[in-house]
Amino acid sequence: MTPMVQAEQVCKNFGALQVLKGITLQVERGQVLCLVGPSGSGKSTFLRCINHLEQVNAGRLYVDGELVGYAERNGKLYELHPRVAARQRRDIGMVFQHFNLFPHRTALENVIEAPVHVKRVPKDKAVRHARELLDRVGLADKADAYPAQLSGGQQQRVAIARALAMEPKLMLFDEPTSALDPELVGEVLRVMRELAREGMTMVVVTHEMGFAREVADQLVFMDGGVVVEAGDPRAVLSNPRHERTQAFLSKLL
């Protein structure tokens, strides 16, 4: 079967700074891949390349067998029109570190925004689905609350419901718990565990090693824009082979 995500020698520069230096990996359908590593290692940049929020400078990225952000003709890559790239992005849900909810819209209104205006779903149908999703993330009673009335953990769960409202084939999480108070982390991880159990393909940038050990099918340790070590999360976490991985994990575990 075609992998859900396939990266082939992906490189990304910001000016003279080379942030990604040839990332090659793949994520099968229904798998959870956790990306870990120090700040500045390129994890979030790679995540943003998967849905073409960042353009790659070299290499290729495929989602569900489709080249992301580019068309290939005669061995050359041509960037897609922004409207076409945005259409690809509709199938990829993304949850950011800082929620990014519309502050002037209720939880329900945040969730229905994209289905109504991007996918042209009838509003009554979008509202029904949004209420189901809010119930799924444990916030059925917060549909009419504004973001300022919600805790960080509740806002992040609304953000997850908003991403799910587009019925994505792939979910990307960029350190979804790092901005939360410690006591609120568990409620977000619970929702992510449930998604994993239901077979959602997920790529997660995280420092939550317990979550990675329990839920992930693959753990990838990145540093300096390269994949240093990858494998079964339990094996990597309990017996890392690379000295750099050992040094990083010794500060977390």
Side-chain angles (χ1 to χ4, degrees):
M1 290 179 67
T2 305
M4 183 59 76
V5 178
Q6 186 165 344
E8 299 175 352
Q9 293 295 316
V10 171
C11 298
K12 173 63 184 176
N13 306 330
F14 291 105
L17 179 65
Q18 194 174 10
V19 178
L20 299 177
K21 304 172 184 176
I23 302 295
T24 296
L25 56 79
Q26 67 182 43
V27 186
E28 305 298 335
R29 295 166 189 275
Q31 278 195 340
V32 177
L33 181 144
C34 282
L35 289 169
V36 303
S39 297
S41 59
K43 307 181 303 296
S44 294
T45 298
F46 177 68
L47 204 70
R48 291 170 66 85
C49 287
I50 293 176
N51 65 357
H52 204 57
L53 288 177
E54 298 288 356
Q55 301 172 4
V56 302
N57 296 107
R60 287 163 169 74
L61 258 169
Y62 299 87
V63 171
D64 199 14
E66 184 177 8
L67 187 62
V68 173
Y70 297 90
E72 185 170 359
R73 292 190 291 274
N74 300 321
K76 286 189 175 182
L77 295 184
Y78 298 87
E79 189 168 5
L80 296 177
H81 188 281
R83 191 178 294 117
V84 180
R87 199 152 46 236
Q88 284 186 330
R89 204 176 289 126
R90 290 192 309 195
D91 293 328
I92 305 172
M94 186 156 185
V95 177
F96 298 89
Q97 185 175 347
H98 291 291
F99 326 137
N100 291 2
L101 298 177
F102 295 115
H104 59 293
R105 299 192 189 282
T106 65
L108 183 71
E109 289 167 343
N110 266 281
V111 175
I112 69 170
E113 178 78 12
V116 169
H117 292 102
V118 177
K119 293 182 85 173
R120 305 297 180 192
V121 175
K123 187 174 180 180
D124 58 341
K125 183 178 178 182
V127 167
R128 282 198 303 275
H129 190 212
R131 290 192 183 281
E132 291 169 3
L133 289 171
L134 288 171
D135 182 47
R136 183 174 171 185
V137 300
L139 294 173
D141 59 335
K142 300 294 184 182
D144 297 322
Y146 288 89
Q149 299 169 311
L150 300 173
S151 70
Q154 290 170 333
Q155 289 185 63
Q156 193 60 294
R157 284 184 282 155
V158 173
I160 294 173
R162 179 181 61 181
L164 292 173
M166 291 293 282
E167 300 184 322
K169 61 177 81 170
L170 169 67
M171 285 283 284
L172 309 176
F173 292 86
D174 190 6
E175 300 199 38
T177 60
S178 63
L180 302 179
D181 292 333
E183 67 268 22
L184 302 177
V185 168
E187 60 192 38
V188 174
L189 294 182
R190 177 189 60 77
V191 173
M192 294 172 65
R193 285 189 186 94
E194 191 64 33
L195 287 175
R197 276 196 292 270
E198 292 169 3
M200 174 64 74
T201 311
M202 297 158 60
V203 182
V204 184
V205 174
T206 186
H207 291 295
E208 299 291 338
M209 297 303 159
F211 173 83
R213 184 190 298 273
E214 176 190 347
V215 177
D217 299 286
Q218 284 190 75
L219 183 73
V220 170
F221 172 66
M222 288 178 61
D223 191 27
V226 300
V227 172
V228 176
E229 189 164 345
D232 178 89
R234 288 151 290 280
V236 174
L237 291 172
S238 60
N239 190 27
R241 298 189 307 273
H242 198 282
E243 190 176 296
R244 184 66 189 92
T245 317
Q246 294 167 9
F248 175 74
L249 292 176
S250 69
K251 296 172 184 173
L252 292 179
L253 301 176

